[in-house]
Amino acid sequence: MPTLGVNIDHIATIRQARRTVEPDPIAGAVLAELGGADGITVHLREDRRHIQERDVRLLRQIVRTHLNLEMAATDEMVAIALDIKPDYVTLVPERREEVTTEGGLDVAGQINRIGEVVDQLQSADIPVSLFIDAESAQIEASRTLQAKFIELHTGRYAEAKNETSRQQELDLLAAGCEQAIKAGLRINAGHGLTYWNVHPVACLPGMEELNIGHTIISRAVLVGMERAVQEMKLAMRGNQ
Ligand code: PXP
C-alpha cells in the first residue's frame, strides 16, 4: 500500500476566509500525524490564498514525517524552497484564476525551464516530483530531466462520469505507472481522490504516496461538528 500525504491547504482556506488565526494548519498537521499521516503536503500559491510562508516555515520545524511543498516553477518559489528545505518539492502548474490546480505540468513543452528548476532544487538535495498527466511524452520528459518522482494527476479519473470512462482513466494511470517504473521514476498520485474512489488508485503498480486533501478536510469538518457544538454550549455556560 502507498503512504498517505495529507494536504492541509484547506485548513488554511477556512482561516483565510476570516483573515484570523484559527483554524491553524500547524495544529492540523500535528493531529494528522497523530492520526497516521505519513507526510504533510502544502501548496504555497503565488496569491497566498490559503497557505502562508509562515505556515511552511513552522511546518518545517514541527513536521515529524515529511514535508512536501507544492509550488510553481518560479524564481520566488525556488528561493523559498532553497531556504526552507522541504523534504521534497512537487512542481505544479499554477494560474491565478483557477479554483484548484487544473491539468498537469507541461514538462515536455517547457523542458528547459523545468529542467533548470529541477537542477537547482535537486543539487541542493531537495528531491523533485513533477505533477503530470499520465501521458507518455510527459513521463519521458520527466525521465530526461532525472526528476526523482512524478505525481500522476488523478483528476480526470476522479471526475469520470461513468464506470466505463473511470476504468479507461484507471487504465491510463496504470500504463503511466508501468512506463514510469521502466524509466526509473518513483510514483506518487493525487488530486480529486475521495473515500469512494481511492482504493483502485492505491492498488496501482509502484504507487508510493497518495497526496489527498479536500476530501479529508471535508470529512474532518463533519465528523467534528457534534463535538464542536457541544463544546460551544459548555463555553456559553462558562466552561471552555
Ligand atoms: N496533488 C497535487 C499536486 C495538488 O495540487 C493537489 C491539490 O492541491 C492535491 C494533490 C490534493 O488534491 P485534493 O485536495 O483534491 O485531494
Side-chain angles (χ1 to χ4, degrees):
M1 270 296 117
T3 56
L4 172 62
V6 176
N7 179 314
I8 57 171
D9 290 350
H10 296 307
I11 302 179
T13 302
I14 300 174
R15 176 190 63 190
Q16 295 311 110
R18 288 286 177 92
R19 305 263 187 284
T20 178
V21 294
E22 65 169 3
D24 195 327
I26 311 306
V30 172
L31 292 170
E33 287 187 335
L34 282 176
D38 303 292
I40 300 294
T41 296
V42 287
H43 184 176
L44 184 66
R45 296 184 73 101
E46 186 195 11
D47 64 10
R48 306 295 197 269
R49 70 174 68 156
H50 37 54
I51 291 294
Q52 309 295 306
E53 215 176 300
R54 164 263 186 204
D55 301 327
V56 188
R57 290 188 185 282
L58 287 174
L59 287 168
R60 174 64 297 178
Q61 292 175 47
I62 63 100
V63 163
R64 289 280 165 267
T65 53
H66 59 254
L67 179 62
N68 167 25
L69 177 62
E70 291 177 3
M71 56 177 235
T74 63
D75 291 343
E76 183 206 10
M77 288 301 157
V78 170
I80 291 172
L82 290 174
D83 186 31
I84 297 181
K85 290 201 181 293
D87 294 294
Y88 70 95
V89 157
T90 302
L91 294 180
V92 299
E94 200 174 295
R95 288 193 303 117
R96 265 181 183 265
E97 61 277 20
E98 68 193 358
V99 174
T100 181
T101 314
E102 294 166 356
L105 190 65
D106 183 11
V107 180
Q110 313 170 69
I111 195 128
N112 292 337
R113 173 62 189 154
I114 302 297
E116 249 172 51
V117 173
V118 170
D119 289 346
Q120 277 177 298
L121 294 169
Q122 292 198 156
S123 59
D125 284 333
I126 304 172
V128 175
S129 176
L130 299 173
F131 182 55
I132 56 171
D133 291 320
E135 288 169 7
S136 182
Q138 301 298 345
I139 296 168
E140 178 53 26
S142 304
R143 186 194 64 77
T144 305
L145 295 186
Q146 297 189 318
K148 286 276 178 307
F149 297 86
I150 55 169
E151 176 170 333
L152 292 177
H153 192 321
T154 49
R156 283 212 301 261
Y157 160 81
E159 282 157 25
K161 294 277 174 284
N162 56 52
E163 228 9 81
T164 313
S165 55
R166 191 181 321 282
Q167 190 56 50
Q168 279 166 356
E169 295 297 338
L170 191 63
D171 292 344
L172 289 174
L173 289 166
C177 288
E178 280 180 19
Q179 187 186 343
I181 292 167
K182 284 192 196 128
L185 291 158
R186 298 173 66 179
I187 312 164
N188 300 333
H191 209 286
L193 297 176
T194 67
Y195 293 85
W196 299 274
N197 67 19
V198 70
H199 185 61
V201 176
C203 294
L204 287 171
M207 191 55 68
E208 282 201 34
E209 181 151 276
L210 300 181
N211 283 306
I212 307 182
H214 188 268
T215 202
I216 296 176
I217 306 305
S218 304
R219 184 165 288 212
V221 168
L222 293 187
V223 300
M225 193 64 164
E226 270 186 72
R227 179 165 158 197
V229 171
Q230 285 160 6
E231 288 178 2
M232 177 53 76
K233 298 283 289 243
L234 289 173
M236 287 164 65
R237 293 187 206 112
N239 306 313
Q240 284 182 37

